[in-house]
Amino acid sequence: MNRRTALKNLSISLGYTVAAPTIFNMLSSCTAEAEGWKPLFLSAEEKHMVTHLADIILPTTDTPGALDVNVPQFIDLIYHDIEQPQRQERFKKGAALFAKAFTSQFSLEALQGDKAQFETLLASYFNLTDEATADVLKQQRITENKITPSELDNYLLYNFLLSIKKYTTFGYLTSETVGENILNYDPIPGAFIGCISVEDLPNGRAWSL
């Protein structure tokens, strides 16, 4: 699937999201350089993993990628300023399990891993049959206190990975660069036309507003 098709699918699946003022402030503040930024929530290891995972999910091609619009910084701010303590704790536990899985597979600390290694490990969790994918998503809809001890690690690990996927997509599509330069953008829209096919829009891309 090329980037254009991916953008269309992601836009359709997310629908029109109205972000709270805090989210808008966060989006406008994510302008730090990719190298050298200091996380507020993520540990050094988590920063390293999140950066590689975001780059794998939305790499730079003929259009900007996740790192070009500072998605890792956005995720760090989301978990520092927005997410509830329970979700913060769940993220930390899932990240630790993913780092442990990385070490088990490559005999390296996650902080030493490169993009290719993370891509290999990520593929092992998402190259699933339709039935297995449905099972994972079904499990994620269950509250943590109802997960059996034998399933808890799997639940937390997928919760971490799916949260990275969700916020990478959200941060990317709501960034100024993508909103104004990649998707269709009109700060002073005209008439509302509902239920229109993406294929009928300019360049076959969804509206950012």
Side-chain angles (χ1 to χ4, degrees), residues 2-207:
N2 61 32
R3 175 62 63 81
R4 176 175 170 176
T5 303
L7 278 173
K8 288 193 291 185
N9 291 343
L10 290 171
S11 301
I12 293 169
S13 65
L14 283 177
Y16 293 94
T17 303
V18 179
T22 305
I23 294 287
F24 280 125
N25 291 336
M26 290 168 58
L27 290 169
S28 63
S29 68
C30 291
T31 56
E33 293 295 328
E35 294 296 330
W37 64 279
K38 296 181 179 180
L40 297 175
F41 173 80
L42 303 174
S43 68
E45 183 177 66
E46 290 162 355
K47 172 190 173 183
H48 187 73
M49 293 191 297
V50 167
T51 298
H52 279 301
L53 292 174
D55 190 27
I56 292 166
I57 293 168
L58 284 174
T60 301
T61 57
D62 57 325
T63 55
L67 301 191
D68 298 312
V69 298
N70 297 319
V71 163
Q73 292 92 318
F74 172 74
I75 294 173
D76 179 59
L77 287 174
I78 279 282
Y79 273 93
H80 183 266
D81 294 340
I82 301 296
E83 284 289 15
Q84 298 174 347
Q86 300 95 321
R87 291 180 180 272
Q88 292 174 336
E89 183 180 1
R90 200 176 300 151
F91 180 97
K92 293 285 186 181
K93 290 178 179 178
L97 288 168
F98 187 72
K100 182 179 178 180
F102 184 93
T103 299
S104 177
Q105 180 157 337
F106 298 105
S107 299
L108 290 171
E109 295 297 322
L111 195 56
Q112 300 172 294
D114 60 30
K115 181 179 177 180
Q117 291 169 326
F118 280 107
E119 192 162 11
T120 297
L121 183 58
L122 187 64
S124 70
Y125 290 106
F126 284 102
N127 287 346
L128 305 174
T129 64
D130 291 344
E131 183 179 358
T133 299
D135 288 341
V136 168
L137 297 177
K138 180 179 179 181
Q139 185 185 63
Q140 289 299 311
R141 290 192 290 269
I142 301 172
T143 56
E144 184 177 346
N145 61 356
K146 294 183 179 179
I147 299 295
T148 63
S150 63
E151 297 176 320
L152 184 58
D153 282 1
N154 192 64
Y155 171 83
L156 292 170
L157 195 151
Y158 271 105
N159 186 272
F160 166 73
L161 294 177
L162 289 170
S163 72
I164 296 299
K165 182 180 179 181
K166 175 181 70 175
Y167 282 131
T168 293
T169 302
F170 180 68
Y172 183 80
L173 290 175
T174 52
S175 69
E176 181 177 0
T177 297
V178 173
E180 295 189 10
N181 302 324
I182 305 301
L183 299 176
N184 287 305
Y185 174 73
D186 185 355
I188 308 176
F192 173 75
I193 304 174
C195 299
I196 187 172
S197 171
V198 175
E199 284 72 17
D200 295 330
L201 295 174
N203 302 315
R205 295 177 180 174
W207 291 100

